[in-house]
């Protein structure tokens, strides 16, 4: 189904990926939206959910790929593996003009950005010389996903992102707010916030045979932040666009 949202500017060849997996609704939505503005769309995504994989690259086991449709592939690897496979193998002779990652189920803001496979796939693409943008739709715990919001604001968010003259070593991290489409405010340039991840716990549980297994649990905290930050913009019903780079130097350490 082609989106009824007014199209953004025309794109050439586009590579899509994500971290929620090849069957994720956010990826299906992104493919639907991009189909209306791109000359050619390719998809390389993990065969299963790879959330939280950050920039992990598979080096000790072989990767396998399965064709799931025309220009659509599922890879037994991480989001970064998918970006590498798409750019260095599948499309090495005809590279895409841009890589779009997402649309992730849940925001990627603040302290959690370094863990995001969605953002990592975009960073990996940029590392390989291709412009990239990551997209995420925020939602409240226990609430419904507002995919209609992502659909409604995607075109103007993409246009805004493409208009930005960012450094060649930067990617753009776009987050849609958890509000109805009619209530979304402006698309704004933001910085990455801090203090949004309270702690990470290990939760032991018992299986049916008395064995112990463990879940990692992120405990989030949303401080009062201004709309110039990624998390703060979402709180104000704005679309956040944050330039991200590779330099992890701590300025206070240098000082």
């Amino acid at each position: 189904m082609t989106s009824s949202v007014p199209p953004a500017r025309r794109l050439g060849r586009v590579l899509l990926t994500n971290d929620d997996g090849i069957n994720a609704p956010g990826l299906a939505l992104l493919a639907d939206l991009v189909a209306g503005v791109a000359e050619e769309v390719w998809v390389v995504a993990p065969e299963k959910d790879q959330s939280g994989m950050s920039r992990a690259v598979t080096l000790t086991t072989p990767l396998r790929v399965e064709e799931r449709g025309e220009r659509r592939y599922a890879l037994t690897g991480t989001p970064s593996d998918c970006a590498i496979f798409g750019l260095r193998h599948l499309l090495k002779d005809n590279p895409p003009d841009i890589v779009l990652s997402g649309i992730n189920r849940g925001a990627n803001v603040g302290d959690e950005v370094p863990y995001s496979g969605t953002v990592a796939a975009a960073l990996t693409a940029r590392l390989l010389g291709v412009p990239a943008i990551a997209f995420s739709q925020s939602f409240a715990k226990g609430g419904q996903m507002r995919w209609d919001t992502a659909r409604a604001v995607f075109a103007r968010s993409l246009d805004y992102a493409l208009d930005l003259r960012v450094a060649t070593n930067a990617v753009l991290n776009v987050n849609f707010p958890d509000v109805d489409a009619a209530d979304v405010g402006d698309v704004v340039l933001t910085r990455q916030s801090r203090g949004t991840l309270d702690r990470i716990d290990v939760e032991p549980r018992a299986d049916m045979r008395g064995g112990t297994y463990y879940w990692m649990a992120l405990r989030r905290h949303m401080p009062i932040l201004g709309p110039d930050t990624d998390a703060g913009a979402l709180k104000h019903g704005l679309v956040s666009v944050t330039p991200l780079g590779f330099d992890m130097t701590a300025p206070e350490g240098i000082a």
Side-chain angles (χ1 to χ4, degrees), residues 65-240:
V65 65
E66 179 182 354
E67 191 169 357
R68 296 285 185 89
E70 185 179 8
R71 298 192 295 269
R72 181 179 175 85
Y73 298 85
L75 187 73
T76 59
T78 68
S80 289
D81 290 336
C82 292
I84 296 169
F85 182 85
L87 297 177
R88 286 293 184 261
H89 178 73
L90 195 63
L91 298 173
K92 66 177 181 179
D93 295 326
N94 296 288
D97 301 302
I98 194 168
V99 173
L100 304 181
S101 183
I103 298 169
N104 190 66
R105 182 180 180 274
N108 279 306
V109 297
D111 299 326
E112 294 182 52
V113 168
Y115 296 105
S116 167
T118 301
V119 173
L123 286 168
T124 300
R126 180 71 275 186
L127 187 67
L128 298 179
V130 179
I133 306 173
F135 294 92
S136 301
Q137 173 62 56
S138 62
F139 75 102
K141 184 177 181 180
Q144 293 185 341
M145 287 298 304
R146 299 181 191 264
W147 294 122
D148 287 344
T149 296
R151 177 180 291 276
V153 300
F154 175 80
R156 64 184 173 109
S157 301
L158 178 61
D159 280 346
Y160 181 95
L162 294 174
D163 280 338
L164 292 176
R165 294 183 178 274
V166 297
T168 56
N169 63 343
V171 305
L172 294 174
N173 181 30
V174 180
N175 284 273
F176 305 126
D178 181 28
V179 298
D180 288 337
D183 297 326
V184 177
D186 292 334
V187 182
V188 296
L189 189 66
T190 57
R191 58 184 174 84
Q192 184 182 346
S193 55
R194 297 299 307 273
T196 59
L197 186 60
D198 189 33
R199 65 183 191 273
I200 304 177
D201 292 334
V202 179
E203 295 187 356
R205 300 183 185 181
D207 62 27
M208 297 294 290
R209 297 189 177 186
T212 303
Y213 65 97
Y214 303 90
W215 279 107
M216 299 290 185
L218 300 181
R219 306 299 183 188
R220 296 173 175 87
H221 168 67
M222 284 299 172
I224 303 300
L225 298 168
D228 62 326
T229 66
D230 50 13
L234 296 184
K235 283 287 189 180
H236 287 79
L238 307 172
V239 177
S240 166

